[in-house]
Amino acid sequence: MKALWLLPCLGAVLQAHMVSMSSGELRVTGNRATFELRMPLYEIEHVRDPESALFSQLRFSSAGVEGRLLEKSCREDRDDGAYRCKASYEWPGPVEEVNAYAAFHKVTVPNHVHLMHAFRDDKSDQLVFDFTNAEQLIRFRPPTAFEVWTTSMASGFGRVFSSAASVLFLGCLVIAARSRRELLLLTVAFLCGELLTALIVPHTPWSPAPKFVDAALALTVAYLAVEILMLPEAGQRWLVAGALGSFHGLAFAVYLVGTGYEAAPVLMGMALADLLALGVFAVALGKLRGWFPAMAPVALRITASLLLVTGLAWFYLQLR
């Protein structure tokens, strides 16, 4: 059962932000281009020399030639809570397509998402960069329906595994289930809560702040751990799973609003990732219970205790 103790360690390995986004605008005119970046200040609080760090993970090339950086500058905009950068690039000839590399997740947090709008004459394009897709070709044409669907679905799938909060909570959900039937009920309730919130919130005036969402997700891990430790025989635990799932849906609601992706493929990818993670955790837990039946109850309580400490510590860090 020692393998279960690795679950809380994910909180230390991965960064705490579930919602981590920045935006940029690339404008191409002839053989030149300008790029403007808006990065939330809280994303780079831990970064030494953020200007150099950010530009080390940003490159543009065309026809195999990397754009020559003519100038760059960055400044803090405290009123907007943002770190803003501007740069200009030049190529030997007119630019038709641009190969963009934006790996800001290497500087900020592993699950960071960068939304880039690109313009050339009267044509435009929009791309989303994250740890699964740091380099993309800007064709300055609207993507096909198939491209949009597959990209959106892959992004939803990847968001689940890029978040320590999601992974920890799904592991905690498996530990909370006292039977296969209860695990099925908890899974259905959690997915329903997550999907409903992700679908409804974008259509309301409420726009939850990323730090609020991160803090709420930390509390979901801690609360479910308390449920396991203090109320081992509590009934209707599926109601708790549904309520906590709604908080996880907030992260995807913010993501959908920020990226402009269609909800259906993103949430389908999210649901598939949730089911895959729950299945892997359930199989692993079943194997461990079979191998070490005598140690199972104690190991589960120790794991739940560590999850509780991790969730509360995480929540405290978000409040700071």
Side-chain angles (χ1 to χ4, degrees):
M1 297 297 291
K2 291 181 179 180
L4 287 176
W5 299 357
L6 295 176
L7 279 174
C9 295
L10 288 171
V13 175
L14 299 178
Q15 295 289 343
H17 302 309
M18 171 64 178
V19 182
S20 176
M21 299 184 71
S22 61
S23 60
E25 185 176 288
L26 177 71
R27 289 190 176 273
V28 176
T29 304
N31 69 329
R32 290 199 173 195
T34 59
F35 178 74
E36 296 187 16
L37 169 69
R38 181 191 181 280
M39 178 74 66
L41 282 174
Y42 69 84
E43 298 290 357
I44 56 169
E45 290 174 343
H46 64 290
V47 180
R48 181 179 299 177
D49 191 5
E51 179 176 324
S52 297
L54 291 171
F55 276 100
S56 70
Q57 302 302 330
L58 178 69
R59 293 192 297 273
F60 298 105
S61 62
S62 179
V65 179
E66 186 167 334
R68 183 167 68 93
L69 181 62
L70 299 177
E71 59 180 354
K72 64 177 180 178
S73 62
C74 293
R75 64 181 178 86
E76 289 188 5
D77 185 348
R78 289 288 175 181
D79 293 336
D80 188 39
Y83 189 72
R84 294 183 178 275
C85 297
K86 186 174 183 179
S88 59
Y89 299 84
E90 183 181 57
W91 284 268
V95 173
E96 295 295 327
E97 296 181 340
V98 175
N99 192 67
Y101 175 83
F104 296 133
H105 64 276
K106 295 182 179 180
V107 178
T108 55
V109 292
N111 64 333
H112 183 81
V113 173
H114 177 69
L115 180 64
M116 186 183 297
H117 298 273
F119 303 88
R120 181 175 63 84
D121 299 328
D122 60 343
K123 300 177 181 178
S124 64
D125 205 346
Q126 177 178 302
L127 300 97
V128 176
F129 297 80
D130 59 16
F131 79 104
T132 65
N133 209 3
E135 188 170 4
Q136 299 186 61
L137 181 63
I138 305 175
R139 297 186 176 92
F140 299 101
R141 64 160 178 80
T144 65
F146 179 75
E147 289 173 339
V148 171
W149 183 273
T150 54
T151 301
S152 302
M153 186 172 176
S155 72
F157 187 92
R159 296 304 293 167
V160 173
F161 292 110
S162 69
S163 165
S166 291
V167 176
L168 285 174
F169 184 83
L170 293 172
C172 200
L173 200 65
V174 171
I175 295 173
R178 291 157 292 197
S179 65
R180 291 182 178 178
R181 180 179 179 277
E182 187 173 36
L183 178 58
L184 178 60
L185 287 174
L186 294 181
T187 300
V188 171
F190 171 74
L191 287 175
C192 286
E194 193 173 29
L195 289 169
L196 285 173
T197 303
L199 288 169
I200 294 172
V201 169
H203 299 286
T204 68
W206 184 37
S207 180
K211 278 190 172 291
F212 167 79
V213 176
D214 287 331
L217 297 189
L219 279 184
T220 64
V221 176
Y223 184 89
L224 194 55
V226 169
E227 178 89 7
I228 295 169
L229 290 169
M230 305 300 181
L231 303 168
E233 303 301 325
Q236 297 184 321
R237 190 167 282 176
W238 62 272
L239 289 174
V240 174
L244 298 181
S246 65
F247 286 102
H248 285 257
L250 284 177
F252 279 90
V254 173
Y255 182 66
L256 289 171
V257 171
T259 60
Y261 276 152
E262 185 181 345
V266 171
L267 298 182
M268 183 179 293
M270 176 202 74
L272 288 174
D274 285 341
L275 291 173
L276 176 60
L278 287 167
V280 170
F281 281 132
V283 170
L285 182 58
K287 293 286 186 183
L288 292 169
R289 278 173 169 162
W291 292 338
F292 309 102
M295 294 176 58
V298 175
L300 288 177
R301 291 187 66 82
I302 292 175
T303 302
S305 299
L306 291 174
L307 285 167
L308 173 59
V309 172
T310 301
L312 291 177
W314 204 332
F315 175 71
Y316 172 72
L317 290 175
Q318 294 308 314
L319 292 182
R320 290 185 61 189

